[in-house]
Amino acid sequence: MLLCGSVSADEPAPAKQQELRNLLKHDCGACHGLQLKGGLGPPLLPEALADKSDVLLLDTIQNGRPGTAMPPWKSFLTVDETNWLIRLLRQP
Amino acid sequence: MNPRYFRFFAALLALLSTACSHTELRGSGDLGVVIEREKGSVQIVNTSQPSPLSRISDLGDLSHASVVFSRDQRYAYIFGRDGGLSKIDLLQDKLEKRIVQAGNSIGGAISQDGKLIAVSNYTPGGVKIFSAETLEQIADIPAVYGEDGRLSKVVGLADASDHRFVFTLFDADEIWIADVKNPKQPAIQKFKNIGKQPYDALLTPDGRYYLAGLFGESGLAKLDMWQPEAGVQRVLPDYGKHDEKLPVYKMPHLQGWTSSGDWLFVPAVGQHEVLVIDKHNWQLIKRIPVVGQPVFVTARPDGRQVWVNFAFPDNQQVQVVDVKDLSVIKTLQPGKAVLHMEFTPRGEAVWLAVRDEDRVMVYDTETLTETARLPADKPSGIFFSSRANQLGL
C-alpha cells in the first residue's frame, strides 16, 4: 500500500481518490463529524484550518498527536495521499 | 370544488384512511429504528418479521446518532450530530416534531418517568432538558469548568433512578449528577479530577454504577449511584500500564458495555482486548484477545454471549465470546464497516448495521448464521423499542 507513492504526480488515481473521500467522510468523520464540523476532534473546515500550515497538518495526520485522541494514519496514508487530503480539506 | 362533493370526498378519504390504519394495526413491542447516517433518514422496521415498514427523511446529520424510546414505545427520539432532536411516531410513520437545539450534539437519555428528554452537547458544551411531550426546553445546564468559564464537551449522558441524570465532562475530567426533581431548576453535584479524558460512560444495567472510560490514562472512573457521597473510585488503575498503546481509530462506545451475571465486559482502549471485570471486587479476571480495537461489546440479553465489533481497519469483522469459557468462539465476516449491533428483546437474533455494504444483516445467535438481510442506505445504528424499558438509556 505504501508503494503507491511511486506514481509520479502527487495526484492519486481516481479510484484511490474515491477511497480517500470515503475515508475522510466516515473514518475521520467518526471523530471530526460526517461533515467535518467537529465532534470529539475539532472541526476540519477550511476556515478552521486557515491559520495552520501544511507541514503541521501533514505531521498531525501522519503521526497523530500523542497525548490526544488523534491517531497516526501513516500506515494507511502515504505522504502524497495525505497532502492530497489536506488540499481537499482546504477547498471551500 | 363544489362543497357537496368536497364533503363527500373528505368523508370517503377519512373512511379510507381509517380502513388503512386498521389493516396496518401494529404493536409497538417489535418495532425498531435503523439510522441511515448519510441520507439523514431512518427506517422503521419490524423486528419479528424482519422487514422494513417505512422511511422518514430530512432528519439532518445523523452521523453518531442515537435513539431513545418513550415508555409506551410509540415514539422514538433521535439525537443527531447537528444538534437536531426529532420525535418520530412509530405507529403512524411520521415525524411528530423536530427541533435543532444546539450546534453539535452527541446523545441523549429519557427520564425514568418518561417525561423528560436530556441531550448532551459538544457545542455549546452542556446538557439541555426538554419536555418529552412537546420538545419544549425546560432547562439548560452549561458544562462550565475551570477559572475562565470554558464549556466542556459532554459525553456519557445516562438516566439514573430517583430523578437524576448523570453525565461526564470530556475536557474537564468531571462527572456531574443533575437532580431534576424540579426540572426547571436542576440541582448539580460535581465530582472533579475523576481521571484524564473520560470519553464515554454508562450506567450498569441494574442502574447502580456509573462508569466512565478514560482515554488519557488507564482504567475507569466509578460512581456508586446508591451512595454518590462516597465519591468517584478508580477501577483497574494499573491496567495496561506497561503495554505499548496501539492507535485507536474510533473511540469505543460504552453504552453497549454489558454485565453478564457477576461480570462486566469492557472494551480496552489502545489494546486489542475485551476486559472482564468482577463486579464484586472490581478486579480484572481476564483479558480476552480479539482482532482489533473493540467498539461495542454487547451481551446477548441472557448474558450467554458477548458480541464485539471493531474500529477501523478491522471493522469488517465481528467476534462472539462464549461467556461460559470467556473465549472467542466465532469470528464472522459480515462485510465492510460493521458499525453497530442490536439484539432482539430476548436475544434469539442480532441485527448488524453494515455501512459500506448498504445493508442490515440478521444473525441467529444460536447457530451464528445469517438469516436475513435488509437493504439500508449506509446504516450506522439500530435501536429496538425494547430499550424503552432499560435503565440508564
Side-chain angles (χ1 to χ4, degrees), chain A residues 19-52:
Chain A
E19 207 179 290
L20 291 173
R21 280 177 202 275
N22 202 44
L23 177 91
L24 186 63
K25 183 186 261 168
H26 294 297
D27 298 303
C28 311
C31 288
H32 294 280
L34 189 63
Q35 296 164 0
L36 304 177
K37 288 184 192 157
L40 193 71
L44 299 180
L45 298 173
E47 56 273 23
L49 300 179
D51 60 348
K52 314 260 156 93

Side-chain angles (χ1 to χ4, degrees), chain A residues 9-84:
Chain A
D10 58 0
E11 192 83 338
K16 188 72 199 177
Q17 289 189 13
Q18 195 45 47
E19 207 179 290
L20 291 173
R21 280 177 202 275
N22 202 44
L23 177 91
L24 186 63
K25 183 186 261 168
H26 294 297
D27 298 303
C28 311
C31 288
H32 294 280
L34 189 63
Q35 296 164 0
L36 304 177
K37 288 184 192 157
L40 193 71
L44 299 180
L45 298 173
E47 56 273 23
L49 300 179
D51 60 348
K52 314 260 156 93
S53 71
D54 286 354
V55 181
L56 172 76
L57 298 183
L58 179 67
D59 178 61
T60 300
I61 299 171
Q62 284 277 300
N63 303 314
R65 291 219 180 125
T68 79
M70 175 64 188
W73 291 87
K74 60 173 179 283
S75 332
F76 308 103
L77 295 170
T78 64
V79 168
D80 286 348
E81 285 162 2
T82 309
N83 279 322
W84 184 81

